[in-house]
Structure formats: structure tokens, C-alpha cells
Amino acid sequence: MGSGEAARSRRRSSKPQSQSPLNVTMMAVAEEAGVSRATVSRVFHGTTPVAPSTRDAVHAAAERLGYIPNEMARSLAASSSDIIGLLLRGPSNPAYGLLFSELQAEISRLGLQMITVAPSPMEGANFERQALNRLLGLRVGGMFVSTGVIQAEMLEPFLDVVPVVIIGRPENHPRIYSVSYDENGNATLLADAVAAQGHRDVAVVIPNVGSSVAESLRGRVMAQRLEGHGVTVHRIPSPTFGVVKEGIAEVMALYDAGTITAAMFPSDVRLLAFLSHARAAGVRTPEDLSATGCDGVLPGVDLLGITTVRIPVEQAAVRAAAVMQSMLAKPGRIKVEHELLPGTLLPGRTLGPPRGGR
Amino acid sequence: MGSGEAARSRRRSSKPQSQSPLNVTMMAVAEEAGVSRATVSRVFHGTTPVAPSTRDAVHAAAERLGYIPNEMARSLAASSSDIIGLLLRGPSNPAYGLLFSELQAEISRLGLQMITVAPSPMEGANFERQALNRLLGLRVGGMFVSTGVIQAEMLEPFLDVVPVVIIGRPENHPRIYSVSYDENGNATLLADAVAAQGHRDVAVVIPNVGSSVAESLRGRVMAQRLEGHGVTVHRIPSPTFGVVKEGIAEVMALYDAGTITAAMFPSDVRLLAFLSHARAAGVRTPEDLSATGCDGVLPGVDLLGITTVRIPVEQAAVRAAAVMQSMLAKPGRIKVEHELLPGTLLPGRTLGPPRGGR
DNA sequence: GTGAAAGCGCTAACAC
DNA sequence: GTGTTAGCGCTTTCAC
């Protein structure tokens, strides 16, 4: 060590640089090991072979100094990043939380890295845009998009620069690969179960597409399918973003009027909100009124005994990660597909009574 | 536009650069607006004033080109970042998921950005180290650490370079600010409730510190507190990482032997796992055996009617974000504190019977 | 108020 | 197998 230091700090009033591994540069490691920066670089990611002795020396030096490579500089210089970004809607929803976990596990298994951003949970797609930009600003090497609202078109400009996989939400954009829950099938499963139970008058809560593409689809399909069975459907729109209690009052009113014998909710959280309310109002489930949800990932779903559909989160994670890996391997050569993963009906105690006629 | 382009691409076989906003550089915006790069930079973050007309021109140009600033280059050049990193344990746990959401909301409110990384959910603190390094490698401007296992000492080398706030887990490191749930208080609340109910023989499941600092603490305090009430405690260790079912068999054995009238679990997930098992085994709660959990954040916790403590996640998020903001504002000048946020007892239906004598 | 230019820490030709 | 060097896209003195 020693010289070399010269003529540095001409400008930039050479900060005090409190000593910490974070300030250890590749240059420092190189000096410590008595090699050039290039060699250090090669030791770390090099495709080029390096003499074993040199390699060891570099590793030792890095270790000694606690060197933590500056990922920003790396990916800036290489103009490529092996960090995959995940754009995740509401992490407080167990379904998304589970997806996060599973994806992380898969991505790690594949030797990639992942960082996650979530939109501020305030209303609107604007926050999703911001979150998207956060990821793009970081120039991630790939993106998972799992969010209810972002328009596929928003992603369009980036498709040939960064691999994108949409997860969860049913999507049909011809240029975007998607791994989705078969919400059509899920809704059908539930509607069939309700119809088979003999219900003839059913309320269905249907959120706005703007709130959640998946939930909206679920609601619409449920309603339609029920009608296919000759059931009278009472559609209850839920236009407001993020308000899980919306529609409950309407359902209760229909029940009080003796109009319905069952209510279908497009998600478990909504169902739970309803069940709390119903219980407080002295309405028994399913003796007085049957009710169904959708998602099935809540811990304790078995204890709650709700009738719902379990969405295949784990499978989705596995598929999405695999697809991402191949996109990374051969950029632009992957044929766009729209995978649909079927859920499974979780029979529960909240679907009951009306068996015979009305 | 036109010239200037010369003598570029001498090396670096000038990639085809498919056109996308991601390839639009500040240089491009500058040319489009007819100003210099420096000016564009000033328009975006500049403290230096810029002529209104110039400003508008730049904004217009940026808009037109769909310019997305390269955050890596920015923070590399400025050697500072306004991105806060969140190191989050198990996002599939609703308690962590909720924390993620709430923190994101707070951070956005404060005009900061946040990215989240989670360790691969496999055993060990090694993966937590990796996740930590991912954040450090990105040279984040600050860090929230909310993870059960990472040693405070691991963070030590970075403390004077990047502000760190530990969230959730009780922590007493003299140099690390922490905003924690008062697990001591939480455990006490529960133990007192169980004792007050008249239970004299209670099983307590106690995880290893290595699995979860918080859960381990809860278990130990519960046991101790119960003993303070003269209750006979049956400690059941749960040494294995991530196995929520651990200890259930032991509890059931104690119950079968008629030894205990209540069992306390250090988390709601563990309690739920137990309840499923118990129900399957025909054991009624609380008629046959009382049981308590801890966390209280699960959606549907009211319906489940479990006796637990609700941890103040929202408050923790607010405090942590506020502290981070002040640390960012005056680096190194914030007095380290260890805030303790009390939880609230959620009385439920799983704590019952033994009232009178044994 | 604005431009020129020197780096930030690193990668990747290219030469030896 | 290793060193040299020109950038990656941006910020920030410094001069005008």
C-alpha cells in the first residue's frame, strides 16, 4: 500500500469518509491484494479465468476489508442487473404476502435476487405508477407485476427492454406473459356449489374493475354462472376502492326482506367482514343465510370453516420464476403465453341449508 | 439535433438499443430541450434556481421522451440515496405483511421511497445476511430491520454510514434505535388473564431464540409470570426454525394425561395450528382445554374468537418512519432510544373454564 | 442562470 | 492471466 493516493481529491472536498465496509471500494480491495481492479472484478463475476493464487488473495483481501460490492455501480457499468423487481399490491393481504414469500424462495433457488415495492395503499393507479417507476428507475433486470389495477398498456413501452411477467390477475395482452389464477374457473366452482346446494335467490357482490380486476371478474362470472343454473341473482356493485365492507348493508337488507338465502363475496376478506357483521346482527351462517368467499389462503381458514376456493399461489410462484428465468436466458425469444392455474374448492360450513325446493 | 454523435461507440459494439423510455438519458432530454445536462439535473432535483422558461422546456422534453431517471446513476454520482430499505422477515405472516403495508404508506407520506427484501424462507440467519447485503449493495439511504434473527452486531459496522431502525423485535443495542412491541407486557397481559381465569397447570410453548427473538421472549415471560401467580408451568421447548406445529404433540400429551387445563402459544399461527389439531382430535376449546395466542392481526381474528394480544403494528410503522425521517435530516444527531409499544388484550372464546379451585 | 468537465465505483474490450 | 482504459448516466464544483 502507500502511494497511488496522489492527485485524488482535487474537487469534491474529500469527505471525512467514516470508515465502514460500505466505503470500501473495489480499488481498495485491489490494492490490498496487490492486483488491479479488473482482476478483482474478474474474481467476483469474471467469466475470464483467474489464477487460483490471485483468486485467493483477492478473496482474502475482500474478506479482511468487509468489501460489499456497490451494486449500483456494477449494474450501471454493465447496464444489466440480475435483480428482479416485484410490484406487489397490498402486502397486508395474506394472498399477496404468501405470493411474496413463495416468489422470494423460488428466485433465491434460481440464484437471482429480488426486491419488492408496493404502491402506497391510497386510492388509485397513480400510486401504482409511482411504484412501477421506482422499479424502472432502478433498472431492474426483470419485473413481476402482481397488482390489481395497473393497465397492461402502462407496461408496453418497456417490454422489449425488461422481461415482464404478470402474476395473479387474468391477463390477455398479446405481448405480456402471464401466470394467472383461473378466476373464471374459481368463480364457476363456487357458483356451481351454491346452485347445487339448492339456493334460488343469491346476492353477489361485484367490485369495480378499477378496484380489483380479479375480484370484479369473480363477481361477474359467479353471477352469470348462477343465472345459467336458473338462479335469481341480486347484483350488488361495490365501486369504491379498498372498502371491504361495501355491499354488506345491501346484502343484509336483502336478507331482512327475505329475498335471498345465500350471498357470494369475491374474496375471503370481504366474506369475513360480512360474517362479523352478520354475527353481530344475530344472523346465523349458514342456518339463516349461506355465504361464500374466495382465496383460501388465510391462516386459520380451516378453523373458520368458510366455503371458498383456494388459489394456487405456490404454483404461480414456481411458474412465474421459471418463466422469468428463461426470459432472462434468451431475451425476446420466449413465446408469450397466458397460463391459467385452477384453484380448488374448499367446502366449508358457511354454505348450507336450502336443499329441496325453495 | 444532429452532430455530436461522433466518435462515440469506439468500443462497446454499440448495441442496437431498442427504443424505450428506459434508454432515454438525461443527455437526450438536454438535447431535446436545447440545454445542457447540468440544467436538466437542476430542474429535477436542483437546489439551484432555474429560469422558469428553461424549466418548462425541460419538463416538456422529459415528458415527450418519457424520461425515467436512472436512479443507479443518480445515487452513484451523488453517493446518497433517498430509498429506504426494509428487511422483512416472512412476508406471508400477516403481522409482517401489515407492517410492510403500513410502513409503505408512512414512507410515501414523508416523500421517501421504500424497497423491501425478504430472506429466502429457508432456515438460518445466513439468508438474512444475504438479504441484508442486497440492501447494502444497493447503498440504500436508510434501513428498517424487521426480522427475527439478525444479530444486532451484524448491523454495527454500518451504523455510522446508514441510519438503521429496528422494528418489532425488542432490542437494546446501545447504538441502534428500535421501535418494538412490548413483548414483555404482551406476555404479562396474557399470563395474567390465564392465571385470573383460575388455571393452575399450564403448558407454555417456548421457541428457541434462534427461531424468533420475539416469540422466545413471549414464551419465557409468560412462563415466569404464571409462576409468579403460583401456577405450575410446563415448559415445552420448540427449537426448530419455522415449524409452527412443534410442541403440539407435547401439549396434547399433557392434556391427555390430565396434567394441564390451559396451553399458551407464543403466536397466533401456532395457536391456530394447535386448534386445528385439537379439533381434529376431538378436544374442545375452551371446555376441555383453554388456549391463547399472540399477535392479533389475522383478518378474521374476531370470528375465530381466539384469546390473544393485538400488537400495535400501525403505531410501530408511524414511529419508525418518523424516526427514520429525523435520522435522515440530522445524521448522527439522533439520540438512540428503545421505544416500547404496548399491545392490547383481545379477550376471546378460547380462554375459559377453571374458575374455582383446580 | 447556465455550461464544462471531473468524477461516483464498476465492467468490459483491448493489448500485452 | 493480468493491467489499462474508456465509458455507464448522473451530480456537482467552478467559471462565466
Side-chain angles (χ1 to χ4, degrees), chain A residues 60-106:
Chain A
E63 185 75 19
R64 220 173 304 136
L65 269 43
Y67 175 55
I68 298 182
N70 187 324
E71 183 62 27
M72 309 224 124
R74 203 204 70 72
S75 92
L76 180 59
S79 54
S80 85
S81 168
D82 54 353
I83 297 186
I84 309 301
L86 165 61
L87 180 59
L88 189 75
R89 170 76 163 275
S92 61
N93 181 328
Y96 288 104
L98 181 59
L99 179 63
F100 182 177
S101 269
E102 297 291 320
L103 268 178
Q104 176 65 60
E106 282 303 306

Side-chain angles (χ1 to χ4, degrees), chain A residues 11 25-26 37-38 41 45 67 70 73-74 77:
Chain A
R11 4 177 97 252
T25 79
M26 178 174 272
R37 272 150 65 225
S41 176
H45 336 269
Y67 175 55
N70 187 324
R74 203 204 70 72

Side-chain angles (χ1 to χ4, degrees), chain B residues 232-277:
Chain B
T232 305
V233 173
H234 304 262
R235 279 164 229 256
I236 300 177
S238 169
T240 318
F241 181 90
V243 182
V244 294
K245 289 208 272 257
E246 203 170 48
I248 291 182
E250 289 82 344
V251 172
M252 290 300 283
L254 287 170
Y255 166 74
D256 288 338
T259 314
I260 57 172
T261 59
M264 301 189 70
F265 296 86
S267 78
D268 284 351
V269 253
R270 282 178 186 264
L271 171 60
L272 291 185
F274 171 75
L275 290 177
S276 290
H277 187 100

Side-chain angles (χ1 to χ4, degrees), chain A residues 238-295:
Chain A
S238 169
T240 317
F241 181 92
V243 183
V244 295
K245 290 208 272 255
E246 203 170 47
I248 291 182
E250 289 83 343
V251 171
M252 290 301 283
L254 286 171
Y255 166 75
D256 288 338
T259 313
I260 55 172
T261 59
M264 300 189 70
F265 296 86
S267 76
D268 285 350
V269 252
R270 282 178 185 265
L271 170 59
L272 291 185
F274 171 75
L275 290 178
S276 289
H277 188 100
R279 170 191 289 184
V283 177
R284 292 163 309 159
T285 314
E287 295 81 357
D288 301 330
L289 184 64
S290 284
T292 64
C294 195
D295 266 356

Side-chain angles (χ1 to χ4, degrees), chain B residues 149-162:
Chain B
V149 183
I150 279 224
Q151 310 288 337
E153 292 71 37
M154 268 190 194
L155 301 170
E156 229 159 12
F158 313 107
L159 294 180
D160 16 62
V161 180
V162 32

Side-chain angles (χ1 to χ4, degrees), chain B residues 74-202:
Chain B
R74 203 204 71 71
S75 91
L76 179 59
S79 52
S80 84
S81 168
D82 53 354
I83 297 185
I84 309 300
L86 165 61
L87 179 59
L88 190 74
R89 169 77 164 275
S92 61
N93 180 328
Y96 287 105
L98 181 58
L99 179 63
F100 183 177
S101 269
E102 296 292 319
L103 268 179
Q104 175 65 60
E106 282 304 306
I107 284 294
S108 294
R109 275 199 334 102
L110 301 180
L112 297 167
Q113 313 209 67
M114 191 174 91
I115 65 177
T116 302
V117 306
S120 174
M122 330 216 50
E123 175 163 5
N126 223 18
F127 279 93
E128 303 209 347
R129 238 236 114 76
Q130 278 183 31
L132 174 64
N133 278 357
R134 217 177 313 155
L135 240 29
L136 258 14
L138 252 18
R139 297 299 192 268
V140 291
M143 278 182 31
F144 292 127
V145 177
S146 181
T147 165
V149 183
I150 279 224
Q151 310 288 337
E153 292 71 37
M154 268 190 194
L155 301 170
E156 229 159 12
F158 313 107
L159 294 180
D160 16 62
V161 180
V162 32
V164 174
V165 178
I166 287 186
I167 310 178
R169 158 179 55 141
E171 180 59 64
N172 286 302
H173 192 288
R175 298 191 48 221
I176 309 183
Y177 204 110
S178 70
V179 176
S180 320
Y181 307 128
D182 179 6
E183 301 297 6
N184 216 301
N186 295 344
T188 301
L189 244 31
L190 287 161
D192 287 356
V194 169
Q197 183 73 27
H199 292 277
R200 311 306 298 165
D201 286 276
V202 179

